[in-house]
Structure formats: structure tokens, C-alpha cells
Amino acid sequence: MDGDSVKLIGFWASPPVLRVKWALALKGIEYQYVEEDLSNKSDMLLNYNPVYKKVPVLVHQGKPLAESLLILEYIDETWKQNPLLPHSPYERAHARFWSKFVDDKCVPTVIAAFSKGGEEQQKAAEEARENLKMLEVGLEGKRFFGGDKIGFVDIAIGWLPYWIGIVEEIVGMNLIDADSMPKLNSWFHAFLDIPIIKECMPPHDKLLNHTKAFLQVLTSSSSP
Amino acid sequence: MAKKSEVKLLGAWPSPFVLRARIALNIKSVDYEFLEENFQPKSQLLVQSNPVYKKIPVLIHQDKPICESLIIVQYVDDVWSSDGPSILPADPYDRAVARFWATYVDDKLFPAMKSIAGAKGEEERKRLIKEVEEGLALLEDAFNKITTKGNNNYLFFGGDQIGYLDIAFGSLLGWLRVTEISNGVKLFDQVKTPGLVNWAESFSSHGAVKDVMPQTHNLLEFAKTLMTKMAHTN
């Protein structure tokens, strides 16, 4: 139905877009995907997201939404099958907490660990590892953050270990390893094994090359 | 209804984030014990209940901690869903819009406002003030769109009653006034942000807000003390 049409504006290498793809796939929602050229943003994107001018943007029934975690909540509230957020208010609060923790703390420290040099890099790597280790608290004897099945937190943060793995290949530094973060490590492998998750992932080599270029820009802009 | 001992809020009176939790609890008429944290040093309770950030507010409900102000507000709305008006809108799209602007306040508006005091030089100060003004212009626009939806003329972002975005943004009003006074600027005025001017008044005098909102002159005193302390430690 046209009135119910769902459009996702995204970029193939963007983790926030991947979150939304996973959510739509898990709910079995059909949608039109529009690939955006971020070096030459379309009028459509600028109209739909004038505040941040970023992807993802979800357009449902002609109404645009930006910010991936909000889009996830919207998807969960609009399509009730396969709930993403847990049922109890306390667990919902926890799910929101861990998702935000990754964006607010883990991501910046991981980026710093890979883009800084010398002593600063050591410090940043230590901080990044501490933050990642904290995620294991959220796993607490569960297979996934969502319990036996993947849920909100899994799809909100599942991209991060994959991206970290790619950067580890490029930079030759190890952030997540099976010894110091066993729970996180096994969660990550179990998560990536899920067919619906694997299907949406960007191809490894393409992402590797893209990330190399991205890191070059980062390190050149943060050099003294 | 929860017993008073079942609900504790760990906080500090000047914090706009703590204010959010207080307003939410008031809307739902929840009795709670307020535990003032004085940070000298951080209490055992704070460190234990918020080991990740060690920050306030922390809501402790039936001995279980909930952290991060906007997450607390949503938790309160979820738990006491049948007590008092709903804090988040009913419609999923309206909820997403409310969350969008609340996140904008936290990610863009508040950091810009906070940085003004520590600005290095006049140019940076002016740039940050401009950033705050632009943010307020966006919120004025959002306010007009939201409150006039469906030929209505609502008082609040939440409609007839204060809601999620009112709480998220309104909790900053005291500190925005402090910023105006300290910098000799008018961020809100009848010309640039007439909707927000009226909204600010309605919000500040709302039953769930007026008794817990810190007075601007107290915040100013607090800010001065803070600046003096920082100047001495530098």
C-alpha cells in the first residue's frame, strides 16, 4: 500500500544505517532503500533531515525520522511482531542505557584508540578496552543482550565488534580478544552467525578499503 | 502506589538532569526520598548504583538503580503508566519527534550553552552564543509546528499537559537564564522566540515544576562559587 510505504535513506558503510536495516529485516518489513552519496548530499536528504543532514532517515507514510536509535524505537512501537525492546520497564531502561553507552563512550574511545599516536594511543586503547569490558555486565550469563534471542541492544551495538575487527586488521592493534573479554567475544560470534544479520552486513573487503581511507583522513586531521 | 521508601532519587539541587527526574515523579504523584549528593567525595551509594558514569541523577526503585535522566523519565512513564497523565505522546511518530528534540537538547544545545562559561576569547564566546541562539530558533520552530497541529493551540510541547520534551528542554531554563545574565545577552525574547517565551512561563509555573525548579538567583550564586573554585584550582 502506498500509504504504508517505508523508505530508508542510507549509506552502505554506515553503522547507524545498518542498525535500521537489521530492525526492518527482523520485523519482516518491506522497504525501498535509497543509497545516498554522502560527498554530494541530495536535496531529498537535506529536506528530510535539515538539522543533522545525516543518514539514516526513515520515511514512513511520507513522514521522515532521523537518528538511528530513535528510528529503532519507532519501528518497535509501530510494528509489534518480534519485539526488540524487552517487556519490563526496568529491562527497557537497561536496554536504552547500554545502547547509549556504546554511542556516547565506546565509539569515541575506540576511534581515539585507532587515530591517535604514541603514548596517547596507549591511553586511549586502555580506556577503550575498559569501556568494552563494561559491556559484559549487560550480557550477564545471557547468550545475547536480548536473552535467548537478539533484541534492541544486540542490533544497536552488534556492528561495533565487526568494525573494530576491520580496524584491528588495518592498524595491527588488538582491542577485543577472547581472553580478556570472553563473553563479549562469544556474543559477537554468535550474533554474526545469524543469517538475517550476516545478510545485511557490508562486504568485508569493500569495508576494509573504505575504512582505510576513513582512517587516513582521521589520522591526518588529528596529527600535531 | 509505591511506598516512599521504595523510591529514592539520588541528585543535587542545581542539576537540570536531576530536575527532569523530579518533574516526572511529580507528574505521576510518586512519593520519593530525595538524597542530596554533595560529591565531597562521591558517596558509596552513587558509585555503587552508577558504576559506569558515577553521575546523578540515579533513580533507585525497589533497590534497583536506573541511570541517565531521559531514561529515568521514560522509566517513570512506563512504571506509573496508570497514574497521572502520560509523559510521552501516544502516537509513535509524535514520540519519535519528542525524543529527537530531547536528544538535540542534550547533544547540541546543552553542550554549547555549558561551553560559553569556559570560552577562550571573545570570538569563541560569540560563536557559542550564536550556536545556542540557532538551537533555540530550531526549537521555536518545532514548538510552533507541534503546538498548532490539527488546528490546536497547545500550551506545551506535550499538548495540554507537560510532556517528555517539555521536561527535557524546560529543565534547562534556569541555566539558560543564568547564561543570559552572565553574558548580558537575551537568548529568549518576544521577537525571536515568542512561542518559547510564553511556554517558558507556563512551564515554570506548572504544578509539577514550580516547587522543584531552582531559583535563578540561587543558580547564579552557585555558578559564581563554581567559577571561583575553578579559578583557584587552575
Side-chain angles (χ1 to χ4, degrees):
Chain A
M1 265 185 293
D2 269 353
D4 219 33
S5 69
V6 180
K7 181 156 66 179
L8 174 62
I9 305 169
F11 176 63
W12 69 272
S14 157
V17 171
L18 186 54
R19 287 169 165 168
V20 180
K21 283 184 179 169
W22 279 334
L24 292 167
L26 280 167
K27 298 271 188 180
I29 298 163
E30 276 184 27
Y31 63 98
Q32 182 202 359
Y33 179 73
V34 178
E35 179 76 15
E36 184 69 29
D37 176 3
L38 295 182
S39 61
N40 184 19
K41 291 179 181 176
S42 68
D43 285 341
M44 176 179 66
L45 176 63
L46 300 177
N47 268 334
Y48 279 147
N49 190 1
V51 177
Y52 295 109
K53 307 177 177 55
K54 283 179 172 180
V55 292
V57 171
L58 188 81
V59 188
H60 180 219
Q61 296 170 335
K63 294 186 285 191
L65 279 173
E67 297 296 282
S68 58
L69 293 180
L70 306 187
I71 294 173
L72 253 47
E73 297 233 29
Y74 175 81
I75 290 171
D76 208 28
E77 285 164 6
T78 306
W79 291 278
K80 305 286 190 191
Q81 66 273 27
N82 295 339
L84 301 175
L85 272 172
H87 183 69
S88 95
Y90 183 68
E91 285 174 54
R92 290 154 82 84
H94 264 241
R96 290 177 176 131
F97 178 87
W98 289 116
S99 309
K100 213 170 165 287
F101 171 73
V102 162
D103 278 3
D104 291 351
K105 286 278 244 181
C106 293
V107 173
T109 51
V110 166
I111 290 179
F114 287 128
S115 59
K116 292 198 193 274
E119 233 182 78
E120 269 195 46
Q121 182 179 56
Q122 299 267 40
K123 216 176 142 230
E126 237 177 76
E127 220 187 313
R129 284 192 193 98
E130 262 171 45
N131 287 333
L132 290 166
K133 183 96 181 118
M134 267 195 241
L135 284 173
E136 295 205 321
V137 173
L139 275 172
E140 266 178 49
K142 295 184 285 185
R143 187 162 162 73
F144 300 108
F145 286 92
D148 291 325
K149 289 197 306 181
I150 59 176
F152 191 90
V153 180
D154 301 282
I155 67 173
I157 79 178
W159 64 274
L160 184 61
Y162 187 75
W163 256 251
I164 289 177
I166 296 259
V167 185
E168 281 174 343
E169 273 183 68
I170 300 170
V171 169
M173 174 174 63
N174 193 245
L175 275 190
I176 297 182
D177 68 74
D179 293 324
S180 61
M181 297 172 209
K183 287 189 211 153
L184 201 66
N185 198 55
S186 22
W187 159 74
F188 170 53
H189 286 110
F191 178 74
L192 265 201
D193 250 348
I194 299 168
I196 225 173
I197 297 299
K198 260 200 288 216
E199 268 160 37
C200 299
M201 293 291 256
H204 174 272
D205 291 348
K206 195 177 176 195
L207 188 62
L208 186 74
N209 289 329
H210 173 83
T211 311
K212 269 191 190 147
F214 176 75
L215 273 178
Q216 259 177 347
V217 173
L218 256 190
T219 46
S220 61
S221 63
S222 64
S223 307
Chain B
M1 184 66 68
K3 284 187 289 196
K4 190 166 182 166
S5 55
E6 268 190 7
V7 187
K8 296 182 170 66
L9 180 68
L10 192 52
W13 70 267
S15 161
F17 305 108
V18 171
L19 182 58
R20 288 171 175 175
R22 301 194 82 167
I23 296 171
L25 290 163
N26 283 353
I27 289 174
K28 300 293 188 175
S29 306
V30 176
D31 256 339
Y32 65 97
E33 192 185 343
F34 185 70
L35 301 167
E36 184 89 29
E37 176 70 37
N38 72 6
F39 299 105
Q40 330 243 7
K42 292 185 180 176
S43 69
Q44 265 283 72
L45 183 61
L46 176 60
V47 171
Q48 270 169 359
S49 57
N50 190 357
V52 176
Y53 293 110
K54 304 180 182 59
K55 281 184 170 176
I56 48 155
V58 180
L59 184 77
I60 302 172
H61 181 212
Q62 295 167 338
D63 293 324
K64 293 186 289 194
I66 298 102
C67 311
E68 296 291 282
S69 62
L70 292 179
I71 293 177
I72 292 172
V73 170
Q74 290 181 90
Y75 175 82
V76 169
D77 200 28
D78 264 348
V79 171
W80 289 280
S81 53
S82 42
D83 298 297
S86 232
I87 294 177
L88 273 158
D91 173 73
Y93 187 75
D94 294 340
R95 288 160 82 93
V97 170
R99 286 179 175 131
F100 176 86
W101 288 113
T103 311
Y104 176 83
V105 165
D106 278 0
D107 290 354
K108 298 282 177 191
L109 191 71
F110 182 72
M113 184 196 79
K114 215 171 91 151
S115 306
I116 292 171
K120 297 180 175 67
E122 187 57 21
E123 232 179 86
E124 199 189 324
R125 199 183 71 94
K126 281 196 174 144
R127 182 185 62 82
L128 288 163
I129 290 175
K130 190 159 180 274
E131 220 179 293
V132 172
E133 284 174 340
E134 281 167 2
L136 291 175
L138 285 176
L139 283 157
E140 169 79 16
D141 192 53
F143 180 77
N144 288 328
K145 284 204 177 86
I146 292 168
T147 55
T148 56
K149 230 175 101 167
N151 280 324
N152 286 297
N153 213 352
Y154 293 121
L155 271 182
F156 303 109
F157 288 97
D160 290 323
Q161 284 296 328
I162 60 175
Y164 186 76
L165 181 51
D166 300 282
I167 297 172
F169 182 25
S171 57
L172 254 62
L173 283 170
W175 282 102
L176 281 163
R177 289 190 196 115
V178 167
T179 305
E180 287 183 316
I181 296 168
S182 310
N183 291 278
V185 291
K186 269 207 108 5
L187 298 168
F188 289 93
D189 70 45
Q190 280 292 356
V191 174
K192 292 185 289 185
T193 55
L196 291 183
V197 167
N198 292 335
W199 164 79
E201 220 185 284
S202 309
F203 179 81
S204 306
S205 52
H206 188 279
V209 177
K210 63 180 169 38
D211 293 333
V212 288
M213 194 167 203
Q215 304 266 358
T216 305
H217 66 89
N218 287 332
L219 287 177
L220 260 168
E221 268 312 309
F222 176 79
K224 286 192 184 126
T225 318
L226 209 63
M227 294 294 279
T228 316
K229 258 195 215 156
M230 277 165 62
H232 283 159
T233 52
N234 278 341

